[in-house]
Amino acid sequence: MGKRGADFIHYPTWSEARFWTFVRSALRSAWNRYPVKFEVLKEAYVCTKENIKTGKQAKHYRCNECKELFPAKEVIVDHIEETGALKCYADLPRFVERLFCGKDSLQVLCKDCHNAKTYKERYGKDR
Ligand SMILES: [Zn+2]
């Protein structure tokens, strides 16, 4: 075990870090029901055609980066600007404002383009 951080005062069984992981995950599941997310996805819809992996008819969406078409399972509604960290109360307003942003701050990316973008944000360079 690494060095244990501060306890979360309302429930000392949790560390402060565990508490913020819990809050982030709660907000992320709200994000999964955020109507703006579905509007952005709907706007990226191009056509329904055969999913080459499953052989079934599936809705296909255009990736805003590589411009290729992908079924829903292979695309992500991405925050153009990173939501940033949420590790303390002071981070909350900015995190919530960026997570629940307007349509213009969101884009549909395929998994590969999303992974490349995440990598670049994390390491400051292309893979
Ligand atoms: Zn792509």
Side-chain angles (χ1 to χ4, degrees):
M1 278 279 286
K3 195 178 132 207
R4 193 182 153 84
D7 290 337
F8 170 54
I9 53 166
H10 299 297
Y11 186 51
T13 304
W14 282 357
S15 66
E16 189 81 46
R18 173 69 185 85
F19 169 70
W20 286 108
T21 301
F22 168 77
V23 173
R24 276 197 307 274
S25 132
L27 289 171
R28 290 264 172 216
S29 57
W31 153 254
N32 286 328
R33 303 189 303 275
Y34 187 45
V36 178
K37 178 185 174 178
F38 298 101
E39 283 180 23
V40 169
L41 190 62
K42 207 168 152 186
E43 284 176 10
Y45 170 73
V46 177
C47 63
T48 298
K49 61 174 185 155
E50 189 183 317
N51 178 336
I52 49 166
K53 284 183 184 163
T54 63
K56 290 181 182 161
Q57 290 293 308
K59 289 184 173 181
H60 280 66
Y61 302 85
R62 190 176 304 283
C63 170
N64 193 41
E65 186 67 34
C66 66
K67 313 295 181 194
E68 300 289 325
L69 301 186
F70 298 90
K73 275 189 176 172
E74 290 170 40
V75 295
I76 285 151
V77 179
D78 171 65
H79 289 82
I80 295 170
E81 190 177 9
E82 284 180 277
T83 50
L86 176 58
K87 291 176 177 167
C88 65
Y89 285 105
D91 292 340
L92 255 180
R94 195 195 58 177
F95 186 88
V96 169
E97 193 178 5
R98 288 195 182 168
L99 186 64
F100 302 110
C101 58
K103 267 197 310 206
D104 293 348
S105 302
L106 298 170
Q107 63 181 345
V108 169
L109 293 180
C110 71
K111 284 186 173 170
D112 282 350
C113 291
H114 183 257
N115 288 343
K117 179 177 180 258
T118 306
Y119 185 91
K120 201 171 182 176
E121 283 166 354
R122 195 162 297 163
Y123 301 106
K125 59 178 173 131
D126 291 323
R127 259 190 296 202

